[in-house]
Amino acid sequence: MSVTGKLALIAGGGAVPVEVARYLKASGRAYCVLRLQGLSDLELNHHPGHDVGLGDFAHMFDLLAQESCQSVCMVGYVQRPDFNTMARDAGGAEHLPVIQAAGRGGDDSLLRQVARMFEAKGYAIEGAHEANPQLLIGHGLQAGPAPVPEAADDMAEAVRIANVIGALDIGQAVVVAGKITLAVEAQEGTDAMIRRVQALPDALKGALVNRKGILAKVAKPIQDLRLDMPTIGVSTVETASAAGLHGIVGQVGKLLIVDKAATFAAAERLGVFIYGFDDTDGNSH
Amino acid sequence: MSVTGKLALIAGGGAVPVEVARYLKASGRAYCVLRLQGLSDLELNHHPGHDVGLGDFAHMFDLLAQESCQSVCMVGYVQRPDFNTMARDAGGAEHLPVIQAAGRGGDDSLLRQVARMFEAKGYAIEGAHEANPQLLIGHGLQAGPAPVPEAADDMAEAVRIANVIGALDIGQAVVVAGKITLAVEAQEGTDAMIRRVQALPDALKGALVNRKGILAKVAKPIQDLRLDMPTIGVSTVETASAAGLHGIVGQVGKLLIVDKAATFAAAERLGVFIYGFDDTDGNSH
């Protein structure tokens, strides 16, 4: 989408909303932050904005109108609430039942319903990677040692398997080592998936001194990247290193790297590469 | 295959070799047991047979000839050995390097190479389910409460996803609840996969008093069922119950149930159903 007009950053927890806010400020774009109470990072108090409750949609709509915003970017961690007990204003009372019903189809479905609600009010939805393109992985080797041939083979296979897993709407990430799929992420999350590789027999996995295997993290085709982007950061690199992996691969334009400087520094320090894969890489194998 | 001639049961660890041996004895078929030292159950000492070392292929070939066996059934747990240090006789020295090389392609590949070695000597390979057909799951509800409609829907989806995961040569088992894939087995094993469902948010999974979700365990298309059958038992039922699942589904003729009486009793006691699925079930959804 074209990035224009004043942006409302609806900020959940974690570092990504902070990085988006910093970029918006530095780039001179008009913006305000709607800080989700109890979730958003304290640094966001130093940006223009307002505190809002997660279920207070009437309040949010008032603020968006008052601030003359044209776009909304929803970013950061929000744990799925208990819809039966969560606080809400009149707007929440109107919209939460539909959002709750959509949530039975999974988090993706829930987020799409929230987005539709803002779109119905005339706001464009903007992804974190659109609000701050610097968060995106680039093409080729981003950090760490260059892939050895075995790692390059596993990289292509890991991307292939991860894309099939994503097409089934199962998860975003897999670990492949020696062409064998060691672990597949479903609902447990990427870090938990990587950690269980450590418990596998030595014959299958690598080690710190003799690395083996690749983490691929890709977007599901069904995934709306404006609402939910695959993301890695320092902890991903640390977990991948502890699991004895060679490296981490994402698809160009479809992976966010939180705190890129620190993440790349961890990759260099631990000897784990980060690689941005695209179709030209696929053709070389 | 047609089950004829004297059978040599090459017995690793666990209960399945014991159940095969008991059946062979009860059915009056000619057989002997080659007990893998340090692995096979002590009960097998009371069957006709011999102790053999895992790497002593010349000794095994001598025994097969001496016993006038026509078929070989390899069954039971064998942890992948350290090929560089394991004991071997002259037959092992000849065959183990090829087996080790095949093992780089995974356990399936390793077992197929072992089977080819016996076939090259003129022995037919017989599966545990052929040597003892009573181990197989039947069609329809086998034990536990009848599936509610929600469970029937999850059952069809779990079988579908498990078959795709199998076709990718990733694993045999998945857990699906509310049409969402909660967990996928790769190299960690089925019980570990089920256990991590317990750690997922309550919104996704079921509970003891409000069950939700299905474990599907199926064979990979690439899997040689003579060498490696999907298997469940009491611990599978117990783990599935602790994860709040409705039931367990396998494909008719492609799932072994170890200690069927105890496994069905656990299913009844814990309220977890066991269901044998075939194409007629698939068409009803």
Side-chain angles (χ1 to χ4, degrees), chain B residues 31-57:
Chain B
Y31 74 104
C32 71
V33 183
L34 303 195
R35 298 177 289 259
L36 291 174
Q37 279 163 357
L39 293 171
S40 65
D41 191 282
L42 293 178
E43 181 180 325
L44 293 171
N45 293 337
H46 304 294
H47 289 265
H50 311 270
D51 297 328
V52 296
L54 188 58
D56 295 341
F57 291 122

Short mmCIF file of all heavy atoms in Angstrom, two decimals, chain B residues 31-57:
data_model
loop_
_atom_site.label_atom_id
_atom_site.label_comp_id
_atom_site.label_asym_id
_atom_site.label_seq_id
_atom_site.Cartn_x
_atom_site.Cartn_y
_atom_site.Cartn_z
N TYR B 31 8.41 -71.17 14.48
CA TYR B 31 9.12 -69.89 14.63
C TYR B 31 10.30 -70.07 15.58
O TYR B 31 10.39 -71.06 16.32
CB TYR B 31 8.19 -68.80 15.20
CG TYR B 31 7.88 -68.96 16.67
CD1 TYR B 31 8.49 -68.16 17.63
CD2 TYR B 31 6.98 -69.93 17.10
CE1 TYR B 31 8.21 -68.31 18.98
CE2 TYR B 31 6.69 -70.10 18.45
CZ TYR B 31 7.31 -69.29 19.38
OH TYR B 31 7.03 -69.45 20.71
N CYS B 32 11.20 -69.12 15.52
CA CYS B 32 12.22 -69.00 16.56
C CYS B 32 12.47 -67.52 16.78
O CYS B 32 12.15 -66.70 15.93
CB CYS B 32 13.51 -69.73 16.18
SG CYS B 32 14.43 -68.94 14.85
N VAL B 33 13.01 -67.19 17.94
CA VAL B 33 13.26 -65.79 18.28
C VAL B 33 14.77 -65.54 18.29
O VAL B 33 15.52 -66.28 18.93
CB VAL B 33 12.67 -65.44 19.66
CG1 VAL B 33 12.89 -63.95 19.97
CG2 VAL B 33 11.19 -65.79 19.71
N LEU B 34 15.21 -64.53 17.55
CA LEU B 34 16.59 -64.06 17.70
C LEU B 34 16.53 -62.85 18.63
O LEU B 34 16.07 -61.77 18.24
CB LEU B 34 17.20 -63.69 16.35
CG LEU B 34 17.22 -64.79 15.26
CD1 LEU B 34 18.17 -64.40 14.12
CD2 LEU B 34 17.63 -66.15 15.83
N ARG B 35 16.95 -63.09 19.86
CA ARG B 35 16.84 -62.06 20.91
C ARG B 35 18.04 -61.11 20.83
O ARG B 35 19.19 -61.54 21.05
CB ARG B 35 16.79 -62.72 22.28
CG ARG B 35 15.58 -63.64 22.48
CD ARG B 35 15.62 -64.34 23.82
NE ARG B 35 16.66 -65.36 23.88
CZ ARG B 35 16.44 -66.67 23.74
NH1 ARG B 35 15.22 -67.15 23.56
NH2 ARG B 35 17.45 -67.52 23.81
N LEU B 36 17.80 -59.86 20.52
CA LEU B 36 18.89 -58.88 20.46
C LEU B 36 19.36 -58.62 21.89
O LEU B 36 18.59 -58.18 22.75
CB LEU B 36 18.43 -57.60 19.78
CG LEU B 36 18.14 -57.75 18.28
CD1 LEU B 36 17.54 -56.46 17.71
CD2 LEU B 36 19.41 -58.13 17.51
N GLN B 37 20.63 -58.88 22.13
CA GLN B 37 21.17 -58.84 23.49
C GLN B 37 21.03 -57.46 24.12
O GLN B 37 21.38 -56.45 23.51
CB GLN B 37 22.65 -59.25 23.48
CG GLN B 37 22.83 -60.76 23.45
CD GLN B 37 24.23 -61.16 23.02
OE1 GLN B 37 25.05 -60.32 22.68
NE2 GLN B 37 24.48 -62.47 23.00
N GLY B 38 20.51 -57.45 25.35
CA GLY B 38 20.38 -56.19 26.08
C GLY B 38 19.14 -55.41 25.70
O GLY B 38 18.87 -54.34 26.25
N LEU B 39 18.37 -55.90 24.72
CA LEU B 39 17.20 -55.17 24.24
C LEU B 39 15.90 -55.94 24.46
O LEU B 39 14.92 -55.37 24.91
CB LEU B 39 17.35 -54.86 22.75
CG LEU B 39 18.46 -53.87 22.36
CD1 LEU B 39 18.62 -53.85 20.84
CD2 LEU B 39 18.12 -52.47 22.85
N SER B 40 15.91 -57.23 24.11
CA SER B 40 14.63 -57.95 24.07
C SER B 40 14.13 -58.29 25.47
O SER B 40 14.91 -58.50 26.40
CB SER B 40 14.76 -59.20 23.20
OG SER B 40 15.66 -60.11 23.78
N ASP B 41 12.81 -58.34 25.61
CA ASP B 41 12.14 -58.62 26.88
C ASP B 41 12.52 -60.00 27.40
O ASP B 41 12.69 -60.95 26.63
CB ASP B 41 10.62 -58.53 26.66
CG ASP B 41 9.84 -58.53 27.95
OD1 ASP B 41 9.67 -59.60 28.56
OD2 ASP B 41 9.42 -57.43 28.36
N LEU B 42 12.64 -60.12 28.74
CA LEU B 42 13.07 -61.39 29.34
C LEU B 42 12.08 -62.52 29.06
O LEU B 42 12.48 -63.68 29.02
CB LEU B 42 13.26 -61.22 30.85
CG LEU B 42 14.42 -60.30 31.25
CD1 LEU B 42 14.50 -60.15 32.76
CD2 LEU B 42 15.75 -60.84 30.70
N GLU B 43 10.80 -62.18 28.86
CA GLU B 43 9.81 -63.23 28.58
C GLU B 43 10.20 -64.03 27.34
O GLU B 43 9.85 -65.21 27.21
CB GLU B 43 8.41 -62.62 28.40
CG GLU B 43 7.35 -63.69 28.13
CD GLU B 43 5.95 -63.14 27.95
OE1 GLU B 43 5.60 -62.15 28.63
OE2 GLU B 43 5.20 -63.70 27.11
N LEU B 44 10.93 -63.39 26.43
CA LEU B 44 11.29 -64.07 25.18
C LEU B 44 12.30 -65.18 25.41
O LEU B 44 12.50 -66.04 24.53
CB LEU B 44 11.80 -63.05 24.16
CG LEU B 44 10.71 -62.08 23.68
CD1 LEU B 44 11.31 -60.96 22.85
CD2 LEU B 44 9.64 -62.83 22.88
N ASN B 45 12.93 -65.21 26.60
CA ASN B 45 13.83 -66.33 26.93
C ASN B 45 13.06 -67.65 27.04
O ASN B 45 13.66 -68.72 26.96
CB ASN B 45 14.55 -66.06 28.26
CG ASN B 45 15.51 -64.88 28.13
OD1 ASN B 45 15.96 -64.55 27.02
ND2 ASN B 45 15.82 -64.25 29.25
N HIS B 46 11.74 -67.54 27.20
CA HIS B 46 10.92 -68.76 27.33
C HIS B 46 10.35 -69.22 26.00
O HIS B 46 9.49 -70.09 25.96
CB HIS B 46 9.80 -68.52 28.35
CG HIS B 46 10.32 -68.08 29.68
ND1 HIS B 46 11.09 -68.89 30.49
CD2 HIS B 46 10.25 -66.90 30.34
CE1 HIS B 46 11.43 -68.24 31.59
NE2 HIS B 46 10.94 -67.02 31.52
N HIS B 47 10.78 -68.59 24.92
CA HIS B 47 10.40 -69.04 23.58
C HIS B 47 11.61 -69.68 22.93
O HIS B 47 12.75 -69.38 23.30
CB HIS B 47 9.91 -67.85 22.74
CG HIS B 47 8.57 -67.33 23.19
ND1 HIS B 47 7.38 -67.72 22.62
CD2 HIS B 47 8.24 -66.44 24.16
CE1 HIS B 47 6.37 -67.09 23.21
NE2 HIS B 47 6.87 -66.31 24.15
N PRO B 48 11.39 -70.56 21.93
CA PRO B 48 12.54 -71.15 21.22
C PRO B 48 13.35 -70.04 20.58
O PRO B 48 12.77 -69.14 19.96
CB PRO B 48 11.89 -72.05 20.17
CG PRO B 48 10.49 -71.52 20.01
CD PRO B 48 10.10 -70.98 21.36
N GLY B 49 14.67 -70.09 20.72
CA GLY B 49 15.44 -69.02 20.09
C GLY B 49 16.87 -68.93 20.55
O GLY B 49 17.39 -69.86 21.20
N HIS B 50 17.50 -67.82 20.22
CA HIS B 50 18.93 -67.63 20.44
C HIS B 50 19.20 -66.16 20.75
O HIS B 50 18.51 -65.28 20.26
CB HIS B 50 19.72 -67.99 19.17
CG HIS B 50 19.34 -69.32 18.59
ND1 HIS B 50 19.95 -70.50 18.94
CD2 HIS B 50 18.37 -69.66 17.69
CE1 HIS B 50 19.40 -71.50 18.29
NE2 HIS B 50 18.43 -71.01 17.51
N ASP B 51 20.25 -65.93 21.55
CA ASP B 51 20.70 -64.56 21.80
C ASP B 51 21.68 -64.15 20.70
O ASP B 51 22.57 -64.93 20.34
CB ASP B 51 21.41 -64.46 23.15
CG ASP B 51 20.46 -64.80 24.30
OD1 ASP B 51 19.24 -64.51 24.17
OD2 ASP B 51 20.93 -65.36 25.32
N VAL B 52 21.50 -62.92 20.18
CA VAL B 52 22.43 -62.44 19.15
C VAL B 52 22.80 -60.98 19.43
O VAL B 52 22.01 -60.23 20.03
CB VAL B 52 21.81 -62.53 17.72
CG1 VAL B 52 21.55 -63.97 17.34
CG2 VAL B 52 20.55 -61.70 17.61
N GLY B 53 23.98 -60.60 18.99
CA GLY B 53 24.42 -59.20 19.10
C GLY B 53 23.91 -58.42 17.90
O GLY B 53 23.78 -58.96 16.79
N LEU B 54 23.63 -57.13 18.12
CA LEU B 54 23.03 -56.30 17.08
C LEU B 54 23.89 -56.24 15.81
O LEU B 54 23.36 -56.13 14.70
CB LEU B 54 22.83 -54.87 17.64
CG LEU B 54 22.07 -53.86 16.82
CD1 LEU B 54 20.67 -54.34 16.50
CD2 LEU B 54 22.03 -52.51 17.56
N GLY B 55 25.21 -56.36 15.97
CA GLY B 55 26.10 -56.23 14.81
C GLY B 55 26.62 -57.57 14.31
O GLY B 55 27.50 -57.60 13.44
N ASP B 56 26.07 -58.66 14.84
CA ASP B 56 26.61 -59.99 14.51
C ASP B 56 25.79 -60.65 13.41
O ASP B 56 25.06 -61.63 13.64
CB ASP B 56 26.66 -60.86 15.77
CG ASP B 56 27.65 -60.31 16.80
OD1 ASP B 56 28.51 -59.49 16.41
OD2 ASP B 56 27.53 -60.66 17.98
N PHE B 57 25.92 -60.12 12.19
CA PHE B 57 25.09 -60.61 11.09
C PHE B 57 25.49 -62.01 10.64
O PHE B 57 24.63 -62.80 10.25
CB PHE B 57 25.13 -59.63 9.92
CG PHE B 57 24.44 -58.33 10.22
CD1 PHE B 57 25.11 -57.12 10.14
CD2 PHE B 57 23.11 -58.32 10.61
CE1 PHE B 57 24.47 -55.93 10.43
CE2 PHE B 57 22.46 -57.12 10.91
CZ PHE B 57 23.15 -55.93 10.81
#
